[in-house]
Amino acid sequence: MLKRFYPDAETENAYEIDYAGFCKMGCRGVIFDVDNTLVPHGAPADERAIALFEKLHGLGLGTVLLSNNKEPRVKSFARQVGSDYIFRAGKPGREGYERAMERMGTGPETTLFVGDQLFTDVWGAKRAGIYACLVKPIHPKEEIQIVLKRYLERIVLFFYHRKSEKERTRAFGAAGKEAPEA
């Protein structure tokens, strides 16, 4: 039951992802959440975000910002980084992800999603068949409804990490080596 919320990958932040590597594997577009994924909630694009989008566009990757926020917030950020955007996206519904892929001319197999929340970002991407990368929230200050969801996310991530550890141990053992004792 919880597997529907599991990310395909997990990383510290959106800036450490090997986008060139994804590009080599056939990725043609990246969908991003904005708040607490690229910058703290409500913050404008910073130099790091602008440089990231320049890099992505230089690799030939399309980008779309997909946010449940209102248009003024998303439009302003999108202008700063030179990206297309969809506001009030209705995440975790599939429709926003599908519209984003349509705008980039990509499909689920050639699209990467990057976001900081399991129950909106990751679950929506998974429902749309997109490879989902979970990043840690940039800033601890969040709206109350998100704070409450974070408690539930901890439970899901506990089981996700436990499953991942078992798979790594199994793979290690399949390679003919004994797994180290904990």
Side-chain angles (χ1 to χ4, degrees):
M1 181 177 111
L2 295 178
K3 290 180 185 176
R4 75 180 85 180
F5 304 113
Y6 290 176
D8 294 301
E10 195 177 16
T11 187
E12 192 68 28
N13 63 62
Y15 301 97
E16 293 181 1
I17 296 171
D18 180 10
Y19 296 101
F22 276 101
C23 198
K24 287 177 185 173
M25 294 180 351
C27 182
R28 296 295 167 250
V30 185
I31 303 171
F32 287 97
D33 175 53
V34 179
D35 289 321
N36 248 352
T37 296
L38 295 167
V39 293
H41 187 79
D46 56 18
E47 289 178 20
R48 190 165 71 154
I50 293 167
L52 173 63
F53 280 79
E54 286 174 356
K55 174 185 171 183
L56 296 173
H57 296 150
L59 289 169
L61 293 169
T63 60
V64 175
L65 303 173
L66 187 68
S67 176
N68 285 345
N69 216 322
K70 296 175 185 169
E71 185 173 25
R73 164 65 180 140
V74 186
K75 183 178 183 178
S76 171
F77 193 92
R79 276 190 187 150
Q80 292 174 303
V81 298
S83 181
D84 199 351
Y85 68 94
I86 297 172
F87 66 100
R88 288 190 179 161
K91 295 183 289 184
R94 289 191 335 250
E95 297 81 14
Y97 296 87
E98 291 168 351
R99 284 190 311 166
M101 288 186 287
E102 186 177 306
R103 289 184 183 186
M104 294 186 295
T106 63
E109 65 285 342
T110 58
T111 304
L112 170 66
F113 178 81
V114 181
D116 71 300
Q117 293 187 55
L118 287 179
F119 301 128
T120 51
D121 298 333
V122 170
W123 187 27
K126 300 293 284 181
R127 292 175 74 199
I130 300 170
Y131 189 92
C133 185
L134 177 69
V135 297
K136 291 182 181 172
I138 288 180
H139 195 275
K141 184 180 181 220
E142 297 181 297
E143 298 170 349
I144 188 65
Q145 72 272 17
I146 296 172
V147 171
L148 297 173
K149 285 193 282 184
R150 295 287 186 204
Y151 288 109
L152 296 173
E153 284 184 356
R154 285 188 200 138
I155 295 167
V156 174
L157 287 171
F158 169 81
F159 288 105
Y160 167 72
H161 291 137
R162 191 167 84 174
K163 175 186 169 283
S164 296
E165 181 60 33
K166 284 181 183 177
E167 288 174 357
R168 280 192 296 274
T169 302
R170 214 175 295 127
F172 191 73
K177 299 179 181 176
E178 291 287 324
E181 292 295 319

